[in-house]
Amino acid sequence: DINAHTVAIGEKRIELTITEFKLLRELLLSKGRVKSRETLLNTVWGYTFEGYNRTVDTHIQRLRHKLGDHGKKITTVRSIGYMIR
């Protein structure tokens, strides 16, 4: 629920940080399309990409873990970024 800033799988509420929520929202709003790390850094964190940054990768890993089996829907597109199926 974007307006309430909540995430649930079935009846189970998933606790996400604000950053994790923003990251998931960005991926869901672009479902089926690849979002580059640079774009995610800009839209979620609010800064431009300057060199390789593991911030996005680390947050994706945490988000996948919190979403359990549904986290597998977040796909890595090697050398580009991420997308959600």
Side-chain angles (χ1 to χ4, degrees), residues 71-84:
K72 294 176 185 173
K73 294 178 181 178
I74 300 173
T75 304
T76 303
V77 180
R78 190 175 173 167
S79 300
I80 299 174
Y82 297 94
M83 67 183 285
I84 198 161

Side-chain angles (χ1 to χ4, degrees), residues 4-23:
H5 284 246
T6 59
V7 175
I9 298 173
E11 296 294 319
K12 182 181 177 188
R13 188 170 174 178
I14 308 299
E15 296 296 326
L16 299 179
T17 65
I18 295 295
T19 302
E20 291 165 344
F21 181 84
K22 288 178 180 180
L23 184 56

Side-chain angles (χ1 to χ4, degrees), residues 36-60:
S36 71
R37 287 176 178 85
E38 295 87 353
T39 298
L40 292 170
L41 279 169
N42 193 329
T43 57
V44 175
W45 283 268
Y47 58 86
T48 56
F49 183 76
E50 296 178 16
Y52 186 42
N53 192 317
R54 298 287 298 179
T55 300
V56 176
D57 299 338
T58 301
H59 280 80
I60 289 287

